[in-house]
Structure formats: structure tokens, C-alpha cells
Amino acid sequence: MLEQYVYKNRKKLRCGYTTGSCAAAAAKAAAQMLLGGQRTETVELVTPSGQKLLLDVEEILQEKERVSCAIRKDSGDDPDITNGILIFASVEKAEDGFRLEGGTGVGRVTLPGLDQPVGEAAINTVPRRMITRAVEDICAQYGYTGGIRVLISIPEGVRLAGRTFNPRLGIEGGLSILGTTGIVEPMSEAALLDTIEVEMKQRAAQGWKKIILTPGNYGMDFLKEALHLDQEKSVKCSNYIGEALDKAVETGFESVLLVGHIGKLVKLGAGVMNTHSRWADARLETLASCAILAGGEAGTAAALLRSNTTEEALEILRGKGPFEETMTILLEKIAGHLEHRTGGSIQTEAVVFSNKFGILGKTPGADSLLSRLQQENGREPQ
């Protein structure tokens, strides 16, 4: 592989290649050995992005009517749990047509709203196209016009699947064969946004009109323990609150409830919709400005600005005040920025909490939406 790099946060990071590229390359190599008869140690694949890969072929098993081989996944500098695992393809002749199937360790779709219909192997559209084209090119090269059956398997897939989003998405029994460009870009924001979109579309396909968003594990735990809501009906949006709201509008939801720790959601009060610290902070400045608007003294605002964390700032507000008034103004600002982001096209509400003080505030319509969600908890979508 001609190595490719990207720069993130002033660091040079090496790109890798996707499970889809591995599956396509393995299928191409197996087809070449099946129809050509010669052992293939390396295989060339051109990805949808135009990147040329030259990959080593491993675990070759040549039989008279079937060939199996594997490509080892390389995720580059991306912290991907699939790095180093083997993606296998078994190719054999069939009576007619082209059949692509998922074997051991490849997940199967059990819920609607995903890239593939219920019952199909979790091999997404672009990898399916890559595999099909790679094998058909080999068939044309050798003048073979009969049928072909391709079976993709991942021996490590069953073990690793529990560490992915697949169980939440209704993909059972293994990993997904993924990739749109064929190349893994380290720490790709696009990949995470794609995951958020997939989860939202799945909820919509199941009939849900209301969606719960939360940035991370704190929010997930709070949903269950304090708000008594089913975590499975929520979507974790990480720092990408603005983009998640955009996708909620595009997907057609009627309402969004955003639940999060003040350390993240306070930034929304300043209109910061990507809450990662490298984009912006504004936590303490937002709290200080809200405190001043609530009638707080300059000394209180100065103490807030000197705080190290929002939890520490809350302690100061509890002692010097005005606490409740500051939270009311903060939630008013959050509500305004949420409505501005969505253009008022859907109902957007927020619940802000802290680990020590619990619920700090809610936007005006949050209680009503929360009540409806709690009533629906455990019921069929509506």
C-alpha cells in the first residue's frame, strides 16, 4: 500500500483500509486462484476513493472447487478494535448468478433502518459493490460465465462485536463490513457522524417520532437512574450536538430531548454546538455572564472565571448566589440556540444536570416532553 497520511491536531497520522477493502481484496484473490489455478501471494485493489492498495494474502486454502484466503485489517493510526484481524473470503463456483453471503463473525441485520434489510448480512452497499466488481473483473479476465458464490467471514467477529455499536443497532452475531471510500482516516469525525445518522434512521424506521440525544456515558446513566428512560431509545451524539440536531431535522423527528452534564451543555448557552474543547470552551464565561444577568456581584463572576471545572463553579454559585436565577437564564439561552439551530422546525428541549446537584434546569417544554417519553417507556413507538 502506498502510505497515505492526514494531519489532525498538528499530528501526522497514517491512514489504513476498511473491512470493506479487506473483504473485496480477499474475494478478488480467492477468485483469481479459483479460476487461474495459481497461488496468489499479493492482490491489488483500487478503492472507491481511487487509492491503490497492494495487500498480502494470508491463510490460503486451495481446493478443487473452492478457494479461501484472508486479508489482515490495517487501521493505520486509528484506534479501531478491528486492527490486525483477518477478513476471510471463500469463493466457489455455482450453477448461475452471483451470490454474496455473510458467514461466521459477520453480523446479521435484525432491525429496520440500516443500510441492509432485515435478515441480510451486515455487508454495506459500497463494500458489496466493491466485492462484486472485484470478483466479476476476475471472471471476465478468465472468460468464466458461470455462477459464483462468495462467503465473507471474520473469525474474531463474534468476540469483538460486543465492543461496537452493533448490538444497539440490532446487528447480531458479529461485525459489519463497512466503508465508503475504502480508506480509514484516523479518528474520523465523518465516521462518528455516520454512526449517529444510522442510529437515528433506525429509530425513525421503527416508528419513533421523538428522539433522545445525550453526549456520553454520564448522560446515558442519568437517563436510566434519574429520568427512568430506556437507554436503548436514545442516541449518543458525543460532542456533535449541532450536527446531531441537523440530522434529527433531516430524518423527520417531531421532537428532540437533549440530556447532558453541564460541563458539555453549558457551552450551548454561548451557541457553541461542537462541545469538544479544541473547538471552543466558553464554559465559565457563559456561567459568569448568566450570573451577572441574574443579579450576581462582580466578585462572584470573577470567582466563577477562576474555577477549574463547572462543578467547582456550581459550588461557588450555591454559596454566593444567585444559583437558581443563573440556571434559569442559562436554560433560556440554551433554548434559544437550540431553536436557532433547528430553525424552529422541530421541538427541541434540554435537561441539564450535574453529578453532585442533580437536575440544574430544563428548557420550558422539557417537562411536558419528558412526561410523554416516560409514559411511552417500554411501549410500542408512536
Coordinates of all heavy atoms in Angstrom, one line a residue, residues 158-244:
V158 N -17.4 -12.4 16.2 CA -18.3 -12.7 17.3 C -17.8 -12.1 18.6 O -18.5 -11.4 19.4 CB -18.6 -14.2 17.5 CG1 -19.5 -14.4 18.7 CG2 -19.3 -14.7 16.2
R159 N -16.5 -12.3 18.9 CA -15.9 -11.8 20.2 C -15.9 -10.3 20.2 O -16.1 -9.7 21.3 CB -14.5 -12.4 20.3 CG -13.8 -11.9 21.6 CD -12.4 -12.6 21.6 NE -11.5 -12.1 20.6 CZ -10.8 -10.9 20.6 NH1 -10.9 -10.1 21.7 NH2 -10.0 -10.6 19.6
L160 N -15.6 -9.7 19.1 CA -15.4 -8.2 19.1 C -16.7 -7.4 19.0 O -16.7 -6.2 19.3 CB -14.5 -7.8 17.9 CG -13.0 -8.3 18.0 CD1 -12.3 -7.9 16.8 CD2 -12.3 -7.6 19.3
A161 N -17.8 -8.1 18.5 CA -19.0 -7.3 18.2 C -19.6 -6.6 19.4 O -20.1 -5.5 19.3 CB -20.0 -8.3 17.6
G162 N -19.4 -7.2 20.6 CA -19.9 -6.6 21.8 C -19.3 -5.3 22.1 O -19.8 -4.5 23.0
R163 N -18.1 -5.0 21.6 CA -17.4 -3.7 21.8 C -17.7 -2.7 20.8 O -17.1 -1.6 20.8 CB -15.9 -4.0 21.9 CG -15.5 -4.9 23.0 CD -14.1 -5.4 22.9 NE -13.1 -4.3 22.8 CZ -11.8 -4.5 22.5 NH1 -11.4 -5.7 22.2 NH2 -11.0 -3.4 22.4
T164 N -18.7 -2.9 19.9 CA -19.1 -2.0 18.9 C -20.5 -1.5 19.1 O -21.2 -1.9 20.1 CB -19.0 -2.6 17.5 OG1 -20.1 -3.6 17.4 CG2 -17.7 -3.3 17.3
F165 N -21.0 -0.7 18.2 CA -22.4 -0.2 18.3 C -23.4 -1.3 17.8 O -24.6 -1.1 17.9 CB -22.6 1.1 17.4 CG -22.1 2.3 18.1 CD1 -20.9 2.9 17.7 CD2 -22.8 2.9 19.1 CE1 -20.4 4.0 18.3 CE2 -22.4 4.1 19.7 CZ -21.2 4.7 19.3
N166 N -22.9 -2.3 17.2 CA -23.8 -3.3 16.5 C -24.9 -3.8 17.4 O -26.1 -3.9 16.9 CB -23.0 -4.5 16.0 CG -22.4 -4.1 14.6 OD1 -22.4 -3.0 14.2 ND2 -21.8 -5.1 13.9
P167 N -24.7 -4.2 18.7 CA -25.8 -4.7 19.5 C -26.9 -3.7 19.6 O -28.1 -4.0 19.6 CB -25.2 -5.1 20.8 CG -23.7 -5.4 20.5 CD -23.4 -4.4 19.4
R168 N -26.5 -2.4 19.8 CA -27.5 -1.3 19.9 C -28.3 -1.1 18.6 O -29.5 -0.8 18.6 CB -26.8 0.0 20.2 CG -26.6 0.2 21.7 CD -25.9 1.5 21.9 NE -26.7 2.7 21.5 CZ -27.6 3.3 22.3 NH1 -27.8 2.8 23.5 NH2 -28.3 4.3 21.8
L169 N -27.6 -1.4 17.5 CA -28.3 -1.2 16.2 C -29.1 -2.3 15.7 O -29.8 -2.3 14.7 CB -27.2 -0.9 15.1 CG -26.3 0.4 15.3 CD1 -25.2 0.4 14.3 CD2 -27.2 1.6 15.3
G170 N -29.0 -3.4 16.5 CA -29.8 -4.6 16.1 C -29.1 -5.5 15.0 O -29.7 -6.2 14.2
I171 N -27.7 -5.4 15.1 CA -26.9 -6.3 14.2 C -26.3 -7.3 15.1 O -25.5 -7.1 16.0 CB -25.8 -5.5 13.5 CG1 -26.4 -4.4 12.6 CG2 -24.9 -6.4 12.8 CD1 -25.4 -3.5 12.0
E172 N -26.7 -8.6 14.9 CA -26.4 -9.7 15.8 C -25.4 -10.6 15.2 O -25.4 -10.9 14.0 CB -27.7 -10.4 16.3 CG -28.7 -9.5 17.0 CD -29.9 -10.3 17.4 OE1 -30.0 -11.5 17.1 OE2 -30.8 -9.7 18.1
G173 N -24.5 -11.2 16.1 CA -23.7 -12.3 15.7 C -22.3 -11.9 15.1 O -21.6 -12.8 14.7
G174 N -22.0 -10.6 15.1 CA -20.7 -10.3 14.5 C -20.6 -8.8 14.1 O -21.4 -8.0 14.5
L175 N -19.5 -8.6 13.4 CA -19.2 -7.2 12.9 C -19.8 -6.9 11.6 O -20.4 -7.8 10.9 CB -17.6 -7.1 12.8 CG -16.8 -7.3 14.0 CD1 -15.3 -7.4 13.7 CD2 -17.0 -6.2 15.1
S176 N -19.8 -5.6 11.2 CA -20.2 -5.2 9.9 C -19.1 -5.0 9.0 O -18.0 -4.7 9.4 CB -21.0 -3.9 10.1 OG -22.1 -4.0 11.0
I177 N -19.4 -5.2 7.7 CA -18.4 -4.9 6.7 C -18.7 -3.5 6.2 O -19.8 -3.3 5.5 CB -18.4 -6.0 5.5 CG1 -18.2 -7.4 6.1 CG2 -17.4 -5.6 4.4 CD1 -16.8 -7.6 6.6
L178 N -17.8 -2.6 6.4 CA -18.1 -1.2 6.3 C -17.1 -0.5 5.3 O -16.1 -1.1 5.0 CB -18.1 -0.5 7.6 CG -19.0 -1.0 8.7 CD1 -18.7 -0.3 10.0 CD2 -20.5 -0.7 8.3
G179 N -17.4 0.8 5.1 CA -16.5 1.6 4.3 C -17.2 2.2 3.1 O -17.8 1.6 2.3
T180 N -17.0 3.6 2.9 CA -17.5 4.2 1.7 C -16.4 4.6 0.8 O -16.6 4.7 -0.4 CB -18.3 5.5 2.1 OG1 -17.5 6.3 2.9 CG2 -19.5 5.1 2.9
T181 N -15.2 4.9 1.3 CA -14.0 5.3 0.5 C -13.0 4.1 0.3 O -12.2 4.2 -0.5 CB -13.3 6.5 1.1 OG1 -12.7 6.1 2.3 CG2 -14.2 7.7 1.3
G182 N -13.1 3.2 1.2 CA -12.2 2.1 1.3 C -11.0 2.3 2.1 O -10.2 1.5 2.4
I183 N -10.8 3.6 2.6 CA -9.7 4.0 3.4 C -10.2 4.5 4.8 O -11.2 5.1 4.9 CB -9.0 5.2 2.7 CG1 -8.4 4.8 1.3 CG2 -7.8 5.7 3.6 CD1 -7.4 3.6 1.4
V184 N -9.4 4.1 5.8 CA -9.7 4.5 7.2 C -8.9 5.8 7.4 O -7.7 5.8 7.4 CB -9.3 3.4 8.2 CG1 -9.5 3.9 9.6 CG2 -10.2 2.2 8.0
E185 N -9.6 6.8 7.7 CA -9.0 8.1 8.1 C -8.9 8.1 9.6 O -10.0 8.0 10.3 CB -9.7 9.3 7.6 CG -9.1 10.6 7.9 CD -9.8 11.8 7.3 OE1 -10.1 11.7 6.1 OE2 -10.1 12.7 8.1
P186 N -7.8 8.2 10.2 CA -7.6 8.2 11.7 C -8.6 9.1 12.4 O -8.6 10.3 12.0 CB -6.2 8.5 12.0 CG -5.5 8.1 10.7 CD -6.5 8.4 9.6
M187 N -9.2 8.6 13.4 CA -10.1 9.4 14.3 C -11.1 10.3 13.4 O -11.2 11.5 13.6 CB -9.3 10.3 15.2 CG -8.5 9.5 16.2 SD -7.6 10.5 17.4 CE -6.2 11.0 16.3
S188 N -11.7 9.6 12.5 CA -12.6 10.3 11.5 C -13.9 10.8 12.2 O -14.6 10.1 12.7 CB -12.9 9.4 10.4 OG -13.9 9.9 9.5
E189 N -14.1 12.1 12.1 CA -15.3 12.7 12.5 C -16.5 12.2 11.7 O -17.6 12.0 12.1 CB -15.3 14.2 12.5 CG -14.3 14.8 13.5 CD -14.2 16.3 13.5 OE1 -15.0 16.9 12.7 OE2 -13.4 16.8 14.3
A190 N -16.2 12.1 10.4 CA -17.3 11.6 9.4 C -17.8 10.2 9.8 O -19.0 10.0 9.7 CB -16.7 11.6 8.0
A191 N -16.9 9.3 10.3 CA -17.3 8.0 10.7 C -18.3 8.1 11.9 O -19.3 7.3 11.9 CB -16.1 7.1 11.0
L192 N -18.0 8.9 12.8 CA -18.8 9.0 14.0 C -20.2 9.6 13.6 O -21.2 9.2 14.1 CB -18.1 9.9 15.1 CG -18.9 10.0 16.4 CD1 -19.3 8.7 17.0 CD2 -18.0 10.8 17.4
L193 N -20.1 10.7 12.8 CA -21.4 11.3 12.4 C -22.2 10.3 11.6 O -23.5 10.3 11.7 CB -21.1 12.5 11.5 CG -20.5 13.7 12.3 CD1 -20.1 14.8 11.3 CD2 -21.5 14.2 13.3
D194 N -21.6 9.4 10.8 CA -22.3 8.4 10.1 C -23.0 7.4 11.0 O -24.2 7.0 10.8 CB -21.4 7.6 9.2 CG -21.0 8.3 7.9 OD1 -21.6 9.4 7.6 OD2 -20.0 7.9 7.3
T195 N -22.3 7.1 12.1 CA -22.9 6.2 13.2 C -24.1 6.9 13.8 O -25.2 6.2 14.0 CB -21.9 5.9 14.2 OG1 -20.8 5.2 13.6 CG2 -22.5 4.9 15.3
I196 N -24.0 8.1 14.1 CA -25.1 8.9 14.7 C -26.3 8.9 13.8 O -27.5 8.6 14.2 CB -24.7 10.3 15.1 CG1 -23.7 10.3 16.2 CG2 -25.9 11.1 15.5 CD1 -23.0 11.7 16.4
E197 N -26.1 9.1 12.5 CA -27.1 9.1 11.5 C -27.8 7.8 11.4 O -29.0 7.7 11.2 CB -26.6 9.6 10.2 CG -27.6 9.7 9.1 CD -27.1 10.3 7.8 OE1 -25.9 10.3 7.6 OE2 -27.9 10.8 7.0
V198 N -27.0 6.7 11.4 CA -27.5 5.4 11.2 C -28.5 5.1 12.4 O -29.6 4.5 12.2 CB -26.4 4.3 11.2 CG1 -27.0 2.9 11.4 CG2 -25.7 4.4 9.8
E199 N -28.1 5.4 13.6 CA -28.9 5.1 14.8 C -30.2 5.9 14.7 O -31.3 5.4 15.0 CB -28.2 5.5 16.1 CG -27.1 4.5 16.5 CD -26.8 4.6 18.0 OE1 -27.7 4.2 18.7 OE2 -25.7 4.9 18.3
M200 N -30.1 7.2 14.3 CA -31.4 8.0 14.1 C -32.3 7.4 13.1 O -33.5 7.3 13.3 CB -31.0 9.4 13.8 CG -30.4 10.2 14.9 SD -30.4 12.0 14.4 CE -29.9 12.7 16.0
K201 N -31.8 7.0 12.0 CA -32.6 6.5 10.9 C -33.3 5.2 11.4 O -34.4 4.9 11.0 CB -31.8 6.2 9.6 CG -31.5 7.5 8.9 CD -30.7 7.2 7.6 CE -30.5 8.5 6.8 NZ -29.7 8.3 5.6
Q202 N -32.5 4.4 12.2 CA -33.1 3.2 12.7 C -34.3 3.4 13.6 O -35.3 2.8 13.5 CB -32.0 2.4 13.4 CG -32.5 1.0 13.9 CD -31.5 0.3 14.6 OE1 -31.1 0.7 15.7 NE2 -31.1 -0.9 14.1
R203 N -34.1 4.4 14.5 CA -35.2 4.8 15.4 C -36.4 5.2 14.6 O -37.5 4.9 14.9 CB -34.8 5.9 16.4 CG -33.6 5.6 17.3 CD -33.8 4.5 18.3 NE -32.7 4.3 19.1 CZ -31.6 3.5 18.8 NH1 -31.6 2.9 17.7 NH2 -30.6 3.4 19.7
A204 N -36.2 6.0 13.6 CA -37.3 6.5 12.7 C -37.9 5.4 12.0 O -39.2 5.3 11.9 CB -36.7 7.5 11.7
A205 N -37.2 4.4 11.5 CA -37.7 3.3 10.8 C -38.6 2.4 11.7 O -39.5 1.7 11.3 CB -36.6 2.4 10.2
Q206 N -38.3 2.5 13.0 CA -39.1 1.7 14.0 C -40.3 2.4 14.4 O -41.1 1.9 15.2 CB -38.2 1.4 15.2 CG -37.1 0.4 15.0 CD -36.1 0.4 16.1 OE1 -35.9 1.3 16.9 NE2 -35.4 -0.8 16.2
G207 N -40.5 3.6 13.9 CA -41.7 4.4 14.2 C -41.6 5.5 15.2 O -42.6 6.1 15.5
W208 N -40.4 5.7 15.7 CA -40.3 6.7 16.8 C -40.4 8.1 16.2 O -39.7 8.4 15.2 CB -39.0 6.5 17.6 CG -38.9 5.2 18.3 CD1 -38.2 4.1 17.9 CD2 -39.6 4.9 19.5 NE1 -38.4 3.1 18.8 CE2 -39.3 3.6 19.8 CE3 -40.4 5.6 20.4 CZ2 -39.7 2.9 21.0 CZ3 -40.9 5.0 21.5 CH2 -40.6 3.7 21.8
K209 N -41.1 9.0 16.9 CA -41.3 10.4 16.4 C -40.5 11.3 17.3 O -40.3 12.5 17.0 CB -42.7 10.8 16.5 CG -43.6 10.0 15.6 CD -43.2 10.1 14.1 CE -44.2 9.4 13.2 NZ -43.8 9.5 11.8
K210 N -40.1 10.8 18.5 CA -39.3 11.6 19.5 C -37.9 10.9 19.6 O -37.9 9.7 19.7 CB -40.0 11.7 20.8 CG -41.5 12.1 20.7 CD -42.1 12.0 22.1 CE -43.6 12.2 22.0 NZ -44.3 11.1 21.3
I211 N -36.9 11.7 19.8 CA -35.5 11.1 19.9 C -34.9 11.8 21.1 O -35.0 13.0 21.4 CB -34.7 11.4 18.6 CG1 -33.4 10.6 18.7 CG2 -34.5 12.8 18.3 CD1 -33.5 9.1 18.5
I212 N -34.1 11.0 21.9 CA -33.3 11.5 23.0 C -31.9 11.5 22.6 O -31.4 10.5 22.1 CB -33.5 10.6 24.2 CG1 -35.0 10.4 24.6 CG2 -32.7 11.2 25.4 CD1 -35.2 9.3 25.6
L213 N -31.2 12.6 22.8 CA -29.8 12.8 22.5 C -29.1 13.0 23.8 O -29.5 13.7 24.7 CB -29.5 14.0 21.5 CG -30.1 13.9 20.1 CD1 -29.8 15.2 19.4 CD2 -29.6 12.7 19.4
T214 N -27.9 12.4 23.9 CA -27.0 12.7 25.0 C -25.6 12.6 24.6 O -25.2 11.7 23.8 CB -27.3 11.7 26.2 OG1 -26.5 12.0 27.3 CG2 -27.1 10.2 25.8
P215 N -24.7 13.5 25.1 CA -23.3 13.5 24.6 C -22.5 12.2 25.0 O -21.7 11.8 24.2 CB -22.7 14.7 25.3 CG -23.9 15.6 25.6 CD -25.0 14.6 25.9
G216 N -22.8 11.6 26.1 CA -21.9 10.5 26.5 C -22.4 9.6 27.6 O -23.7 9.6 27.9
N217 N -21.5 8.9 28.3 CA -21.9 8.0 29.3 C -22.6 8.6 30.6 O -23.5 8.0 31.2 CB -20.7 7.1 29.8 CG -20.2 6.3 28.7 OD1 -21.0 5.8 27.8 ND2 -18.9 6.0 28.6
Y218 N -22.2 9.8 31.0 CA -22.8 10.5 32.1 C -24.3 10.6 31.8 O -25.2 10.4 32.6 CB -22.2 11.9 32.3 CG -20.9 11.9 33.1 CD1 -20.1 13.0 33.0 CD2 -20.5 10.8 33.8 CE1 -18.9 13.0 33.7 CE2 -19.3 10.8 34.4 CZ -18.5 11.9 34.4 OH -17.3 12.0 35.1
G219 N -24.6 11.1 30.6 CA -26.0 11.3 30.2 C -26.8 10.0 30.1 O -27.9 9.9 30.5
M220 N -26.1 9.0 29.6 CA -26.8 7.6 29.5 C -27.2 7.1 30.9 O -28.3 6.6 31.1 CB -25.9 6.6 28.8 CG -25.8 6.8 27.3 SD -27.3 6.3 26.5 CE -26.9 6.4 24.8
D221 N -26.2 7.3 31.8 CA -26.5 6.8 33.2 C -27.6 7.6 33.8 O -28.5 7.1 34.5 CB -25.3 6.9 34.0 CG -24.2 5.9 33.6 OD1 -24.5 4.9 32.9 OD2 -23.0 6.1 34.0
F222 N -27.6 8.9 33.6 CA -28.6 9.8 34.1 C -30.0 9.5 33.6 O -31.0 9.6 34.3 CB -28.3 11.3 33.9 CG -29.0 12.3 34.7 CD1 -28.6 12.5 36.0 CD2 -30.1 13.0 34.2 CE1 -29.3 13.4 36.8 CE2 -30.8 13.9 35.0 CZ -30.4 14.1 36.3
L223 N -30.1 9.2 32.3 CA -31.4 8.8 31.7 C -32.0 7.6 32.4 O -33.2 7.7 32.8 CB -31.1 8.3 30.2 CG -30.9 9.4 29.2 CD1 -30.6 8.7 27.8 CD2 -32.1 10.3 29.1
K224 N -31.2 6.6 32.8 CA -31.7 5.4 33.4 C -32.0 5.7 34.9 O -33.1 5.3 35.4 CB -30.7 4.3 33.2 CG -31.2 3.0 33.9 CD -30.1 1.9 33.6 CE -30.5 0.6 34.3 NZ -29.4 -0.4 34.1
E225 N -31.1 6.3 35.6 CA -31.2 6.3 37.0 C -32.0 7.4 37.5 O -32.7 7.3 38.6 CB -29.8 6.4 37.6 CG -28.9 5.2 37.3 CD -27.4 5.4 37.6 OE1 -27.1 6.5 38.2 OE2 -26.6 4.5 37.2
A226 N -32.0 8.6 36.9 CA -32.7 9.8 37.4 C -34.0 10.0 36.6 O -35.0 10.4 37.2 CB -31.8 11.0 37.3
L227 N -34.0 9.8 35.3 CA -35.2 10.1 34.5 C -36.0 8.9 34.2 O -37.1 9.0 33.6 CB -34.7 10.8 33.2 CG -34.0 12.1 33.4 CD1 -33.6 12.7 32.0 CD2 -34.8 13.1 34.2
H228 N -35.5 7.7 34.5 CA -36.2 6.4 34.3 C -36.6 6.3 32.8 O -37.8 5.9 32.5 CB -37.4 6.4 35.2 CG -37.1 6.7 36.6 ND1 -36.3 5.9 37.4 CD2 -37.5 7.8 37.4 CE1 -36.2 6.5 38.6 NE2 -36.9 7.6 38.6
L229 N -35.7 6.6 31.9 CA -35.9 6.4 30.5 C -35.0 5.2 30.0 O -33.9 5.0 30.5 CB -35.6 7.7 29.7 CG -36.5 8.8 30.0 CD1 -36.0 10.1 29.3 CD2 -37.9 8.5 29.5
D230 N -35.5 4.6 28.9 CA -34.8 3.5 28.3 C -33.6 4.0 27.5 O -33.8 4.7 26.6 CB -35.7 2.7 27.4 CG -35.1 1.4 26.9 OD1 -33.9 1.2 27.1 OD2 -35.9 0.6 26.3
Q231 N -32.4 3.5 27.9 CA -31.2 4.0 27.2 C -31.2 3.5 25.7 O -30.6 4.2 24.9 CB -29.9 3.4 27.9 CG -29.7 4.0 29.3 CD -28.6 3.2 30.0 OE1 -28.6 2.0 30.0 NE2 -27.7 3.9 30.6
E232 N -31.9 2.4 25.4 CA -31.9 1.9 24.1 C -32.7 2.8 23.1 O -32.6 2.7 21.9 CB -32.5 0.5 24.1 CG -31.7 -0.5 24.8 CD -30.3 -0.7 24.3 OE1 -30.2 -0.7 23.0 OE2 -29.4 -0.7 25.1
K233 N -33.5 3.7 23.7 CA -34.2 4.6 22.8 C -33.5 6.0 22.7 O -34.1 7.0 22.2 CB -35.6 4.8 23.4 CG -36.4 3.5 23.4 CD -37.7 3.6 24.2 CE -38.4 2.2 24.2 NZ -39.6 2.2 25.1
S234 N -32.3 6.1 23.1 CA -31.5 7.3 23.0 C -30.4 7.1 22.0 O -30.1 6.0 21.6 CB -31.0 7.7 24.3 OG -30.0 6.8 24.8
V235 N -29.8 8.2 21.6 CA -28.6 8.2 20.7 C -27.5 9.0 21.3 O -27.7 10.1 21.7 CB -29.0 8.7 19.3 CG1 -27.7 8.9 18.4 CG2 -30.0 7.8 18.6
K236 N -26.4 8.4 21.4 CA -25.2 9.1 21.9 C -24.6 9.9 20.8 O -24.1 9.4 19.8 CB -24.2 8.1 22.5 CG -23.1 8.7 23.3 CD -22.1 7.7 23.8 CE -22.6 6.7 24.7 NZ -21.6 5.7 25.2
C237 N -24.5 11.3 21.0 CA -24.1 12.1 19.9 C -22.7 12.7 20.2 O -22.2 13.5 19.4 CB -25.0 13.3 19.7 SG -25.2 14.4 21.2
S238 N -22.0 12.3 21.2 CA -20.7 12.8 21.6 C -20.7 14.3 21.6 O -21.6 14.9 22.1 CB -19.7 12.2 20.5 OG -18.3 12.6 20.9
N239 N -19.6 14.9 21.0 CA -19.5 16.4 21.0 C -20.3 17.1 19.9 O -20.4 18.3 19.9 CB -18.1 16.8 20.9 CG -17.2 16.4 22.1 OD1 -17.5 16.9 23.2 ND2 -16.3 15.6 21.9
Y240 N -20.9 16.3 19.0 CA -21.5 16.8 17.8 C -23.0 17.1 17.9 O -23.9 16.6 17.2 CB -21.3 15.8 16.6 CG -19.8 15.5 16.5 CD1 -19.3 14.2 16.9 CD2 -18.9 16.4 15.9 CE1 -18.0 14.0 16.8 CE2 -17.6 16.1 15.8 CZ -17.1 14.9 16.3 OH -15.8 14.6 16.1
I241 N -23.3 18.0 18.9 CA -24.7 18.3 19.2 C -25.3 19.0 18.0 O -26.5 18.7 17.6 CB -24.8 19.1 20.5 CG1 -24.3 18.3 21.7 CG2 -26.2 19.6 20.7 CD1 -24.1 19.0 23.0
G242 N -24.7 20.0 17.4 CA -25.2 20.7 16.3 C -25.5 19.8 15.1 O -26.6 19.8 14.6
E243 N -24.6 18.9 14.8 CA -24.7 18.0 13.7 C -25.8 17.0 14.0 O -26.6 16.6 13.1 CB -23.4 17.3 13.4 CG -22.4 18.2 12.7 CD -21.5 18.9 13.7 OE1 -21.9 18.9 14.9 OE2 -20.5 19.4 13.3
A244 N -25.9 16.6 15.2 CA -27.0 15.6 15.6 C -28.4 16.3 15.5 O -29.3 15.6 15.0 CB -26.8 15.1 17.0

